[in-house]
Amino acid sequence: MATFKTTLGQIRADGTRNVKIRIVARKTNTLVSTAMYVTSKQVTRGGQIKDAQVLDACDTIIRKWRDTVAKLGGAADVLSAKDLAHILKNAEADVFRLDFIAHIRELATTKRGEQTSHNYCVVAKSLERFSRNLDVNDITPQLLKNYEQWLRDTGISPGTITQYMTLVRSAHNAARLQYNDEEAGVTRIPRQPFAKYKIPQPPAPAARGVDLETLQAIIDLEDEPSVKSRRNLAHDCFVLSFALGGMNYADIYALPYDALKGDYIEYNRQKTRDARADDALYRVKVIDEIRPMLTRYRDPAKKRLFRFYSHYTTLKSFRESICFGMACIEKVIPYKRHYTFYAARHTYASLAYNVAKIDKYTVHELLNHSDKEMKITDRYIERDWSNLFDAHERIVRLIKW
């Protein structure tokens, strides 16, 4: 009768070892490579695998192989180890396979937002470090728990862990949608791991805004003489963000040239446009005080509203320059807690509710957030932009321009 045992291959140049299964049959033996690799941290000093996830995966493979051998009956008794390995491999060929990490990378290329695409690529790279090879059917509640714990052990923050797991869920749902056809009775990816695994909720974020006095000081800050000053860049983008309803740097960077439509800017928020039926459409009123700044940064090539892309060829380099510049601003205008570029958006929301006394739902609309509970109702309501324009005016007029 054939026997199976998990073993390891030779140490590779990168320090990893392939997980193999030894088949012994009729006094012959052969090694079958799996798609799994382990590092020295996953192996005991005696050369035995100690990683529970890898051991469970090997047990699953061996259990399937034993079932296949049992179905062969007496025919299996005359097969050599190599012949048996050939049969077992052919039996597995009928099982649907999808490289989940490659699937995430492919998904990243379909996202319109550069930041969203980047986030998917980061998650793909993280999963690759966690498990060199990952099939879609390997995604189980236990694997997700192990991945979550691995992220914690590597020092990833709770908020980032939530973001990573949310993107993994989106990628898995996209795979099921693409490869399953329930109406035709085709279920290539039967597992629904997120039905049992619950994505951890991050702790409530600390306040990230500044008070009105500090905001006024930031807006009043004079430019440095250098035309290449990153502090000046951060200041102007911060002012634009606040004056345009807390607009994110990704939207400022990517606004199309025709986004400016007279007295307002119309755009689709990059962060959520792929996830919303309305493509996260939003309009924000442009106050006269920032029109000189709009003119200063207007794109002469008429490809985008602002010419930032001509100086910073990637969103990442644009963001890094803003972050550097904000650190310079913070040294000149300190606050009781650390603040970043996003303080513009957080301050806009806080001033709206606490100072301008605008109701919370209107603040929610001003930030162009989606509300799952109101999704159906929103389909019946024609948006009255004048209400939002008036509310926006009340907020930005708290500042002495």
Side-chain angles (χ1 to χ4, degrees):
M1 183 177 178
T3 60
F4 307 94
K5 184 179 180 180
T6 302
T7 186
L8 292 171
Q10 297 296 316
I11 299 176
R12 298 172 6 134
D14 62 359
T16 62
R17 301 174 71 178
N18 180 236
V19 178
K20 300 177 183 290
I21 297 177
R22 185 185 299 278
I23 302 175
V24 179
R26 289 183 59 80
K27 297 182 180 181
T28 64
N29 72 87
T30 189
L31 291 174
V32 178
S33 298
T34 71
M36 294 175 285
Y37 290 81
V38 293
T39 65
S40 58
K41 293 182 180 180
Q42 297 168 289
V43 180
T44 66
R45 291 183 179 180
Q48 300 297 312
I49 299 171
K50 64 180 181 180
D51 188 292
Q53 177 190 331
V54 176
L55 290 172
D56 288 345
C58 290
D59 287 343
T60 299
I61 294 172
I62 291 173
R63 190 161 51 249
K64 290 180 180 177
W65 286 4
R66 284 175 177 157
D67 290 342
T68 302
V69 171
K71 292 176 182 178
L72 293 174
D77 296 336
V78 299
L79 296 173
S80 67
K82 286 187 177 180
D83 290 337
L84 192 55
H86 180 71
I87 291 173
L88 293 171
K89 287 181 179 179
N90 285 339
E92 286 194 337
D94 295 333
V95 179
F96 177 77
R97 300 291 183 190
L98 176 65
D99 185 330
F100 189 63
I101 296 173
H103 165 71
I104 293 177
R105 289 197 168 104
E106 178 64 26
L107 194 62
T109 66
T110 68
K111 300 301 177 182
R112 292 181 290 175
E114 184 178 336
Q115 187 63 48
T116 303
S117 177
H118 171 73
N119 290 343
Y120 272 101
C121 290
V122 169
V123 170
K125 188 173 182 179
S126 170
L127 280 171
E128 197 168 40
R129 289 175 56 210
F130 170 69
S131 178
R132 186 177 296 272
N133 294 282
L134 199 61
D135 186 81
V136 69
N137 289 308
D138 294 334
I139 309 298
T140 63
Q142 186 58 51
L143 180 136
L144 293 171
K145 289 178 183 178
N146 292 343
Y147 177 49
E148 179 191 329
Q149 187 58 51
W150 179 82
L151 289 172
R152 295 186 192 283
D153 293 342
T154 53
I156 304 299
S157 68
T160 303
I161 290 175
T162 299
Q163 183 184 41
Y164 279 24
M165 302 311 293
T166 300
L167 290 174
V168 171
R169 180 179 61 187
S170 297
H172 193 271
N173 288 341
R176 284 178 51 83
L177 183 63
Q178 181 176 350
Y179 294 102
N180 289 354
D181 188 343
E182 294 181 2
E183 291 184 0
V186 177
T187 308
R188 298 185 180 94
I189 307 173
R191 287 179 172 168
Q192 300 185 52
F194 287 92
K196 288 187 177 181
Y197 170 80
K198 301 302 179 186
I199 295 176
Q201 295 302 309
R208 298 172 67 183
V210 296
D211 59 24
L212 185 57
E213 181 182 356
T214 304
L215 174 65
Q216 185 71 62
I218 294 173
I219 290 176
D220 291 342
L221 183 65
E222 293 186 3
D223 284 350
E224 291 184 316
S226 173
V227 294
K228 295 183 178 180
S229 169
R230 284 181 284 180
R231 196 189 84 175
N232 292 350
L233 169 73
H235 169 268
D236 290 352
C237 288
F238 187 93
V239 173
L240 283 172
S241 175
F242 177 80
L244 296 176
M247 187 180 291
N248 289 331
Y249 68 85
D251 292 310
I252 292 174
Y253 181 79
L255 282 174
Y257 186 78
D258 62 356
L260 181 60
K261 301 181 184 300
D263 63 347
Y264 66 89
I265 288 176
E266 181 178 279
Y267 70 103
N268 302 94
R269 192 176 178 217
Q270 295 225 358
K271 185 176 180 179
T272 54
R273 64 184 182 183
D274 288 327
R276 288 172 50 174
D278 65 349
D279 291 333
L281 177 68
Y282 190 65
R283 292 177 184 174
V284 58
K285 186 176 181 181
V286 177
I287 59 174
D288 291 337
E289 286 80 355
I290 67 162
R291 286 192 178 276
M293 193 174 290
L294 264 62
T295 302
R296 184 190 317 163
Y297 289 109
R298 199 71 183 268
D299 179 19
K302 298 184 178 182
K303 292 180 179 179
R304 299 186 189 180
L305 184 59
F306 300 120
R307 53 181 169 83
F308 297 121
Y309 75 94
S310 63
H311 298 281
Y312 305 94
T313 55
T314 66
L315 180 61
K316 181 182 178 183
S317 62
F318 180 60
R319 174 178 60 83
E320 289 173 348
S321 292
I322 289 177
C323 289
F324 180 89
M326 286 303 302
C328 296
I329 292 174
E330 192 176 18
K331 290 180 181 178
V332 179
I333 307 174
Y335 188 55
K336 60 183 179 182
R337 57 175 173 263
H338 171 61
Y339 63 89
T340 66
F341 174 80
Y342 283 105
R345 184 172 176 85
H346 285 258
T347 304
Y348 179 87
S350 296
L351 291 177
Y353 186 71
N354 296 322
V355 182
K357 302 303 180 182
I358 296 170
D359 66 274
K360 190 172 290 187
Y361 187 77
T362 301
V363 176
H364 159 93
E365 285 195 289
L366 286 166
L367 296 174
N368 199 15
H369 285 164
S370 61
D371 188 341
K372 293 181 180 179
E373 295 182 1
M374 300 293 288
K375 188 177 293 186
I376 302 298
T377 305
D378 286 342
R379 294 178 183 177
Y380 294 88
I381 299 175
E382 184 177 353
R383 213 164 189 178
D384 184 354
W385 296 105
S386 63
N387 289 337
L388 296 181
F389 286 176
D390 290 344
H392 173 71
E393 186 93 16
R394 287 166 57 189
I395 300 165
V396 295
R397 291 302 170 199
L398 294 171
I399 293 295
K400 297 177 182 177
W401 300 92

